[in-house]
Amino acid sequence: MYLADEAWPDLAGELDGTVALVPLGSTEQHGPHLPEGTDHLIAEAFARRAADRTGFLCTPTVNIGVSPHHRQFPGTMWVDAPAFRQYVASFTRNLAYHGVRKVVFVNAHGGNVQHLREVGRRVRDTEDAYAVEWMWDNSIPDLVDDAFEHNGPHGGPKETALIQYLHEELVHDDRLQDAHEGGVESLADLDTVRNGARTFYDAVENSENGVFGDQTDATPEKGEELFDAALDELCQLATWLDDQPFEALLPPERV
């Protein structure tokens, strides 16, 4: 069920006790070959299809995330981390008001991870809701590693393959080689960690065109395989969460 498509009388009695799948991503550069909406398009596809399969609730997508590290590239949008955390915590409590107290943050942007974890802690500590962050590639790490020789953490073949599968019309296939040659194939090639400290803050300090990995290794077929495997993991997570008594998800008593 997709929340935004429903009229309120049809939601009466349908929300209390269900699991909410909240897709979150970003609007930021993903190299010369992928759309700026890559992350939120991926997150929404996972949340929508998981909701269709399980019968749980899918909310509207949060399209802009914590992305200041991509700000040098035209079109990148971002919000400050405290504002993002406050916003997500606020609408999570709003869901709890309607009886939706179990939430999966279906996330597809690495810059959101630590902030979603913090929000999850906050709403759990206040016993408003239980919210857990899920990121698709973290659910199938071995499969992702096996699919590509040079994976890359951003704008690489894994994201390229997923967008080729989900929205092939948005991929500039004629720029895949340029993306590879103008980016950084392996993080091991970088010299921006000194004596255990990360000396960089922005993506452009590591990659001239903002991407990593070998984009030419991506195919829609690989994207479909990865998507289906991660979708299974998400559905299993949501089903597990649905089975848990809410009280068992709250913080344990003090020792």
Side-chain angles (χ1 to χ4, degrees):
M1 176 172 56
Y2 181 56
L3 177 64
D5 285 347
E6 303 295 328
W8 74 259
D10 302 315
L11 293 170
E14 296 296 319
L15 299 180
D16 191 39
T18 193
V19 173
L21 302 165
V22 180
L24 304 100
S26 68
T27 299
E28 64 181 22
Q29 72 85 17
H30 274 78
H33 63 300
L34 290 179
E36 304 233 347
T38 289
D39 288 344
H40 72 248
L41 291 170
I42 290 172
E44 182 167 335
F46 276 117
R48 287 275 202 133
R49 296 200 195 180
D52 289 343
R53 181 181 295 186
T54 62
F56 297 134
L57 178 71
C58 178
T59 73
T61 304
V62 178
N63 291 338
I64 299 173
V66 182
S67 303
H69 47 296
H70 294 294
R71 68 187 186 276
Q72 288 88 353
F73 295 92
T76 291
M77 301 182 70
W78 70 92
V79 294
D80 292 337
F84 177 80
R85 291 193 296 267
Q86 180 63 26
Y87 179 74
V88 176
S90 182
F91 73 64
T92 301
R93 292 189 175 103
N94 157 244
L95 288 170
Y97 173 85
H98 290 294
V100 185
R101 304 185 73 185
K102 300 175 183 178
V103 178
V104 179
F105 295 136
V106 182
N107 178 43
H109 172 49
N112 294 341
V113 172
Q114 62 180 314
H115 308 293
L116 294 174
R117 288 286 297 169
E118 173 62 21
V119 170
R121 169 169 285 283
R122 290 182 186 181
V123 298
R124 180 178 183 246
D125 285 352
T126 57
E127 301 189 0
D128 291 311
Y130 179 86
V132 62
E133 185 267 345
W134 177 88
M135 193 155 176
W136 72 272
D137 54 331
N138 289 338
S139 74
I140 52 167
D142 292 340
L143 191 59
V144 172
D145 286 343
D146 290 343
F148 311 109
E149 183 176 358
H150 297 289
N151 187 8
H154 180 76
K158 63 186 178 185
E159 291 182 320
T160 302
L162 253 63
I163 296 297
Q164 284 176 328
Y165 167 57
L166 295 170
H167 296 282
E168 190 169 18
E169 73 283 0
L170 299 180
V171 180
H172 297 274
D173 289 318
D174 58 330
R175 299 177 186 172
L176 294 179
Q177 188 65 45
D178 290 341
H180 180 208
E181 293 176 357
V184 173
E185 184 177 78
S186 172
L187 296 182
D189 298 334
L190 300 177
D191 189 30
T192 50
V193 175
R194 301 279 180 161
N195 305 101
R198 289 160 52 111
T199 61
F200 64 92
Y201 285 93
D202 297 327
V204 73
E205 296 176 81
N206 284 328
S207 172
E208 183 178 341
N209 68 1
V211 295
F212 305 85
D214 182 1
Q215 294 74 19
T216 65
D217 200 17
T219 67
E221 293 74 21
K222 289 182 179 180
E224 182 176 13
E225 179 184 8
L226 297 178
F227 185 89
D228 288 346
L231 179 61
D232 285 342
E233 296 292 329
L234 176 57
C235 291
Q236 290 179 48
L237 171 62
T239 300
W240 170 85
L241 186 55
D242 183 51
D243 288 340
Q244 307 309 303
F246 181 69
E247 293 73 18
L249 298 170
L250 298 178
E253 294 293 331
R254 184 180 60 176
V255 175

